Structure formats: C-alpha cells, structure tokens
Amino acid sequence: PAIFKYNVSFRPVAPREPISDFRILYVGWPREEHCLDLLLEAVRRINARPDRKVGVDIVGDSPYLRQVKSLAAEKGVGDSIRYHGAILDYSKLAPIVAGCFVGYALYANTSRSYYGYYGFPSKVFHYFSYGVPVIASNLTEFSETIAARKLGFVIPVDIDSLERTIIEAMQSHATYSDNIRTFVAAHNPVAKQEFRDRIDSLRAKG
C-alpha cells in the first residue's frame, strides 16, 4: 500500500555534510499568509542569545518581499537574511539548500476552508529532496506524514513554538535528515509504480 497519498517521487537523497552555519530555508512565492514575519521575529529572539545564531535564505520573489525586507531591517536582522530571488535551475538551488538545516512551511490559515489545507506545499519537495527537515503547519495528511515519520516538526502558528522548534532543530536536524532519506527510499518505488499503473489504466481505457 502507498505510504503517502501523493504518487510523486522525490529526488534521491544523498547523505548530508555537517552543518556549521545554521540557516533556515524558505522556498516559494512570499505572501503574508506564509508567516515570514513570525520567522523574522524568531530569528531576532534567537540571535539575541549569546550562544545561538541563525540566518534565513529566501528563494523566491513577489511584491510582498518588499515588506519582508523592511520588517527585517526594522527588527535588526537584515544582515541575517539572504535574498536569492526566483531560482528555476536546480544546480543553482542545490548549494543553497545544502547550507540550510531546516526548511520553513508555516501557514497562517490552517482551517478546512483554506485551499492549501487539501494540498501539499511544493516547497517541501525541495526540502525533502535534499534531506532538509521542515517546520510545518498542521495541514491535512501533509502534516500527519511529517509527524508520524519524524520528517520535521508540526507546530502551531505562534512565536514561542517556532522559537523553541528552531532551537530543537539546530540540535537534532541530522537525525531528521536520516529519517527523510529512509522515507524517500521507501516512498519512491511505490510512487513510481502507482504512476505507471495509472498510465496503464488510462491506456487501457483508450
């Protein structure tokens, strides 16, 4: 039986190099509902500690990004944020992902009326394909799979939970990365076979 309802395969995950610079990855079309303001506040809080430093890599572009940059400067974390713009070339994305210890996929709206509740954020495919665990909202089977297989952290949308989870991820990201590699290795053959079966079924129907 399928272990994940989406019959889409991930890129095979190679063992990751040790992380020395703790950076959080966001990939997507920046919007207010993606809780980037919450992420900046978490970075501000963590970097105020003498023993913790984190940064953020933002891959993507949108008009809302101007507000993000302004807020980062206002919170005094502008130097901790790298803006890469939209990247369509995987060869350029790979080294950015490789330098991050956790991906970010929080959504402000987690109600069943929200269209994203029934989908699977594509950014997570980028994260998992490089063995990067994710901090995610509680959205449908997406979050159930992450929590059950320990592929990341499913949290409520609040600043204390986010700050605490980022610190936890700094300490345990390697274990979660190993879990992702195991999950992808088990999931991909199932997904590919389901895809082939689907194609065969369509061909049989003419």
Side-chain angles (χ1 to χ4, degrees):
I3 60 175
F4 189 50
K5 77 175 185 178
Y6 304 95
N7 62 349
V8 178
S9 60
F10 299 85
R11 292 165 59 92
V13 181
R16 306 198 75 210
E17 296 295 326
I19 296 290
S20 57
D21 185 16
F22 290 100
R23 303 195 63 80
I24 302 162
L25 177 64
Y26 168 88
V27 175
W29 176 264
R31 292 185 288 189
E32 188 171 0
E33 66 193 53
H34 290 180
C35 301
L36 291 171
D37 55 340
L38 205 68
L39 179 58
L40 295 178
E41 175 60 18
V43 170
R44 185 195 68 78
R45 286 190 181 192
I46 293 169
N47 286 356
R49 303 177 181 218
D51 60 334
R52 306 283 184 184
K53 295 297 177 186
V54 295
V56 177
D57 284 272
I58 295 178
V59 177
D61 198 6
S62 74
Y64 177 67
L65 198 58
R66 290 194 294 271
Q67 292 178 240
V68 174
K69 292 179 178 180
S70 177
L71 185 59
E74 179 183 315
K75 290 181 177 293
V77 298
D79 291 343
S80 300
I81 316 300
R82 297 173 184 163
Y83 303 95
H84 300 276
I87 297 177
L88 301 179
D89 186 340
Y90 274 96
S91 66
K92 295 179 179 179
L93 180 62
I96 299 171
V97 181
C100 296
F101 74 102
V102 73
Y104 189 70
L106 279 194
Y107 292 80
N109 187 348
T110 58
S111 72
R112 290 179 179 270
S113 62
Y114 172 53
Y115 75 94
Y117 183 91
Y118 300 95
F120 181 78
S122 59
K123 58 175 62 64
V124 178
F125 283 103
H126 294 298
Y127 303 155
F128 285 2
S129 291
Y130 290 96
V132 176
V134 64
I135 297 174
S137 297
N138 186 16
L139 292 176
T140 192
E141 188 172 318
F142 160 59
S143 59
E144 293 174 8
T145 302
I146 290 170
R149 297 181 176 275
K150 300 187 182 302
L151 310 176
F153 310 84
V154 179
I155 67 170
V157 182
D158 70 72
I159 184 59
D160 292 334
S161 296
L162 179 57
E163 179 185 6
R164 184 169 55 250
T165 301
I166 291 172
I167 292 172
E168 180 183 350
M170 293 172 76
Q171 300 166 341
S172 61
H173 65 90
T175 297
Y176 284 83
S177 182
D178 289 342
N179 294 343
I180 291 169
R181 190 163 61 253
T182 300
F183 165 74
V184 169
H187 167 73
N188 277 359
V190 176
K192 290 176 181 178
Q193 185 59 54
E194 286 188 349
F195 180 77
R196 287 192 291 266
D197 291 346
R198 176 63 174 162
I199 294 300
D200 291 344
S201 175
L202 292 174
R203 285 174 176 167
K205 292 178 181 178

